[in-house]
Structures are given as structure tokens and as C-alpha cells.
Amino acid sequence: MNGFELAIVWVGWVLAGASPGPATLGIAATSMSEGRQQGLAFAAGILAGGAFWGIAAALGMGALMLTYAWLFTTVKYAGAAYLLYLAIKSLRSAFSDGAIADGAVAKGTSLAAFKKGALVHLTNPKAILSWGAVFSIVLPPSAPGSHIAGMFVFLYTGGMLVFIGYAYLFSTPKAVAVYRDARRWFELAFAALFGAASVKILTVRAE
């Protein structure tokens, strides 16, 4: 592929990563509620999960999951169950007058936020399918390891830009003020979107 084609792939990857989903919702909610440091910790967990799936796809785990359907199904149901759990927690938080519940927001220590971010991404089977699809489309089957590694780093920088950018954007004073004024509506939206993501994951097929 030439430079222009690679740029198109990178822009498409960034736009896909920036679209509303469990990762971006979690980062936005955590950054608005708990501040930039906590949002960055959550984003770091998302990036760690993305690195795991990217490396796994590069090593052929995507093909393994397609061969052994039970493995893909296990990850799919685990991911759907976890997102449904987050949806329920967010819904309960929306109708609570007390402290914000541990739904979309990662409360506690930075390590807890990191773990939650990683878990959100590790339980999403779409992540490895996305990486596997890009590798198979962009790179020929005979591509050497150095080319695969280079493509991983090339795309991974896009993920870093998106997720770290979300943490900075949604931790600005204006974003925090808007969130605090309309917390209940945000929590209801998070509940609906996490629930929709859970259903969407259940419809993902290993093809």
C-alpha cells in the first residue's frame, strides 16, 4: 500500500475508535466525574486491552478463535454480561440521590480505573476481530513479522490519540460542569448505551 492508502486506513481506524462505545463512554464518564488522572488511568487500561488483542491477532489468535467457536462464544458472552452489569449499575446511579455508583464511572484508585478499562476492552470480542480484519486487509499473508509489528504500532498510535484525547477533553472544567448539572441524564444515557453495546456484542458472529 502507498502512503495515501495507509493514511486512509489510519484515519478510518481513528474514527472507528472515536465512535461511541464502551471504551469511549467509560473514559468520558470517568474523566467528567473523577478528573483527568482517573480518566487517563482508565484510558491506559483500554490501551492495554487493545495492545493485548492487537498482539494476539498478530500472532494468529483471531484465526484460532474462528476455528474454535466455543472460545469466541465464551469471550462474547462474558463481554455482553459485563456490559449489561455496567448498564444496570449506571441505571441505578441515575435514580440515586447519593454518590455516583460504579457504573460507567471508574471510582477508587488509579489502579482500579486501569483494571476496569482493561476489563472493558478484554471482554469485547469485536476488538480482536477488528485487529484481525485490518491485518488481513492491509498486509499480505506472507508479510514478515517486522511489517506486522510496524502496522500494529502505526494503528496503535491512533488508539492512543483517541483515548488519551478523550480523557483530556472530558476532564475540562466546562465538561465537568455540564456533567454535574445533568448527571442523571448522563447516567441514563450511559445505561442505554452500555445496554445497546451488550446486545450488539451478542449479535457479533465469528465469520
Side-chain angles (χ1 to χ4, degrees), residues 16-40:
S19 62
T24 52
L25 290 175
I27 294 171
T30 299
S31 298
M32 289 188 292
S33 174
E34 303 299 302
R36 182 167 296 169
Q37 181 176 345
Q38 196 79 340
L40 287 171

Short mmCIF file of all heavy atoms in Angstrom, two decimals, residues 16-40:
data_model
loop_
_atom_site.label_atom_id
_atom_site.label_comp_id
_atom_site.label_asym_id
_atom_site.label_seq_id
_atom_site.Cartn_x
_atom_site.Cartn_y
_atom_site.Cartn_z
N ALA A 16 -13.21 5.06 13.80
CA ALA A 16 -13.92 3.92 14.40
C ALA A 16 -13.69 3.88 15.90
O ALA A 16 -14.61 3.62 16.69
CB ALA A 16 -13.45 2.62 13.75
N GLY A 17 -12.45 4.14 16.32
CA GLY A 17 -12.14 4.13 17.75
C GLY A 17 -12.80 5.27 18.50
O GLY A 17 -13.14 5.13 19.68
N ALA A 18 -13.00 6.40 17.83
CA ALA A 18 -13.60 7.57 18.48
C ALA A 18 -15.12 7.51 18.55
O ALA A 18 -15.73 8.30 19.26
CB ALA A 18 -13.17 8.84 17.75
N SER A 19 -15.74 6.59 17.80
CA SER A 19 -17.19 6.49 17.81
C SER A 19 -17.67 6.01 19.18
O SER A 19 -16.94 5.31 19.90
CB SER A 19 -17.66 5.53 16.72
OG SER A 19 -17.16 4.22 16.95
N PRO A 20 -18.89 6.37 19.58
CA PRO A 20 -19.39 5.98 20.91
C PRO A 20 -19.38 4.47 21.11
O PRO A 20 -19.85 3.71 20.26
CB PRO A 20 -20.82 6.53 20.90
CG PRO A 20 -20.79 7.65 19.93
CD PRO A 20 -19.84 7.22 18.85
N GLY A 21 -18.81 4.04 22.19
CA GLY A 21 -18.73 2.63 22.53
C GLY A 21 -18.34 2.48 23.99
O GLY A 21 -18.13 3.49 24.69
N PRO A 22 -18.24 1.26 24.49
CA PRO A 22 -17.91 1.06 25.91
C PRO A 22 -16.62 1.76 26.34
O PRO A 22 -16.56 2.32 27.44
CB PRO A 22 -17.77 -0.47 26.00
CG PRO A 22 -18.63 -0.99 24.90
CD PRO A 22 -18.50 -0.01 23.79
N ALA A 23 -15.59 1.74 25.50
CA ALA A 23 -14.31 2.34 25.87
C ALA A 23 -14.43 3.86 25.98
O ALA A 23 -14.06 4.45 27.01
CB ALA A 23 -13.24 1.97 24.85
N THR A 24 -14.95 4.51 24.93
CA THR A 24 -15.03 5.96 24.94
C THR A 24 -16.04 6.46 25.98
O THR A 24 -15.81 7.49 26.62
CB THR A 24 -15.43 6.48 23.55
OG1 THR A 24 -16.61 5.80 23.10
CG2 THR A 24 -14.31 6.25 22.55
N LEU A 25 -17.13 5.72 26.19
CA LEU A 25 -18.10 6.10 27.20
C LEU A 25 -17.49 6.06 28.60
O LEU A 25 -17.69 6.96 29.41
CB LEU A 25 -19.32 5.18 27.15
CG LEU A 25 -20.24 5.31 25.93
CD1 LEU A 25 -21.31 4.24 25.99
CD2 LEU A 25 -20.86 6.69 25.88
N GLY A 26 -16.75 5.00 28.87
CA GLY A 26 -16.12 4.85 30.18
C GLY A 26 -15.10 5.94 30.46
O GLY A 26 -15.03 6.49 31.56
N ILE A 27 -14.30 6.26 29.45
CA ILE A 27 -13.30 7.31 29.62
C ILE A 27 -13.97 8.66 29.85
O ILE A 27 -13.58 9.42 30.74
CB ILE A 27 -12.38 7.39 28.38
CG1 ILE A 27 -11.55 6.11 28.25
CG2 ILE A 27 -11.45 8.60 28.48
CD1 ILE A 27 -10.79 6.01 26.94
N ALA A 28 -14.99 8.97 29.05
CA ALA A 28 -15.68 10.24 29.18
C ALA A 28 -16.33 10.37 30.55
O ALA A 28 -16.20 11.40 31.23
CB ALA A 28 -16.73 10.39 28.07
N ALA A 29 -17.06 9.33 30.97
CA ALA A 29 -17.75 9.38 32.25
C ALA A 29 -16.79 9.52 33.41
O ALA A 29 -16.99 10.31 34.34
CB ALA A 29 -18.61 8.13 32.43
N THR A 30 -15.71 8.75 33.38
CA THR A 30 -14.72 8.78 34.46
C THR A 30 -14.01 10.12 34.52
O THR A 30 -13.79 10.68 35.59
CB THR A 30 -13.71 7.63 34.29
OG1 THR A 30 -14.39 6.39 34.33
CG2 THR A 30 -12.65 7.67 35.38
N SER A 31 -13.65 10.66 33.35
CA SER A 31 -12.94 11.93 33.32
C SER A 31 -13.82 13.07 33.84
O SER A 31 -13.35 13.95 34.58
CB SER A 31 -12.49 12.24 31.88
OG SER A 31 -11.59 11.26 31.42
N MET A 32 -15.10 13.07 33.47
CA MET A 32 -16.00 14.13 33.92
C MET A 32 -16.29 14.05 35.41
O MET A 32 -16.42 15.05 36.09
CB MET A 32 -17.31 14.08 33.12
CG MET A 32 -17.17 14.53 31.68
SD MET A 32 -18.76 14.70 30.80
CE MET A 32 -19.28 12.97 30.71
N SER A 33 -16.41 12.80 35.90
CA SER A 33 -16.80 12.62 37.30
C SER A 33 -15.62 12.64 38.26
O SER A 33 -15.68 13.24 39.33
CB SER A 33 -17.55 11.30 37.45
OG SER A 33 -17.82 11.02 38.79
N GLU A 34 -14.53 11.97 37.87
CA GLU A 34 -13.41 11.76 38.80
C GLU A 34 -12.16 12.55 38.46
O GLU A 34 -11.20 12.53 39.21
CB GLU A 34 -13.06 10.26 38.84
CG GLU A 34 -14.24 9.37 39.24
CD GLU A 34 -14.75 9.70 40.62
OE1 GLU A 34 -13.96 9.62 41.58
OE2 GLU A 34 -15.94 10.05 40.74
N GLY A 35 -12.13 13.21 37.32
CA GLY A 35 -10.98 14.03 36.99
C GLY A 35 -10.06 13.39 35.96
O GLY A 35 -10.20 12.24 35.57
N ARG A 36 -9.11 14.20 35.51
CA ARG A 36 -8.23 13.80 34.41
C ARG A 36 -7.34 12.61 34.76
O ARG A 36 -7.18 11.70 33.95
CB ARG A 36 -7.36 14.99 34.00
CG ARG A 36 -6.43 14.70 32.83
CD ARG A 36 -5.84 15.99 32.29
NE ARG A 36 -6.91 16.83 31.74
CZ ARG A 36 -6.74 18.10 31.40
NH1 ARG A 36 -5.56 18.69 31.58
NH2 ARG A 36 -7.75 18.80 30.90
N GLN A 37 -6.77 12.59 35.94
CA GLN A 37 -5.87 11.49 36.29
C GLN A 37 -6.58 10.15 36.25
O GLN A 37 -6.07 9.17 35.71
CB GLN A 37 -5.27 11.72 37.69
CG GLN A 37 -4.30 10.62 38.11
CD GLN A 37 -3.66 10.90 39.45
OE1 GLN A 37 -3.71 12.02 39.96
NE2 GLN A 37 -3.03 9.89 40.04
N GLN A 38 -7.80 10.12 36.79
CA GLN A 38 -8.57 8.89 36.79
C GLN A 38 -8.98 8.51 35.37
O GLN A 38 -8.97 7.33 35.00
CB GLN A 38 -9.81 9.04 37.67
CG GLN A 38 -10.48 7.73 38.05
CD GLN A 38 -9.75 7.02 39.18
OE1 GLN A 38 -8.58 7.27 39.44
NE2 GLN A 38 -10.45 6.12 39.85
N GLY A 39 -9.33 9.52 34.58
CA GLY A 39 -9.68 9.25 33.19
C GLY A 39 -8.51 8.71 32.40
O GLY A 39 -8.67 7.81 31.57
N LEU A 40 -7.33 9.25 32.64
CA LEU A 40 -6.12 8.76 31.97
C LEU A 40 -5.80 7.33 32.39
O LEU A 40 -5.35 6.52 31.57
CB LEU A 40 -4.94 9.68 32.26
CG LEU A 40 -4.97 11.04 31.56
CD1 LEU A 40 -3.86 11.93 32.10
CD2 LEU A 40 -4.81 10.86 30.05
#
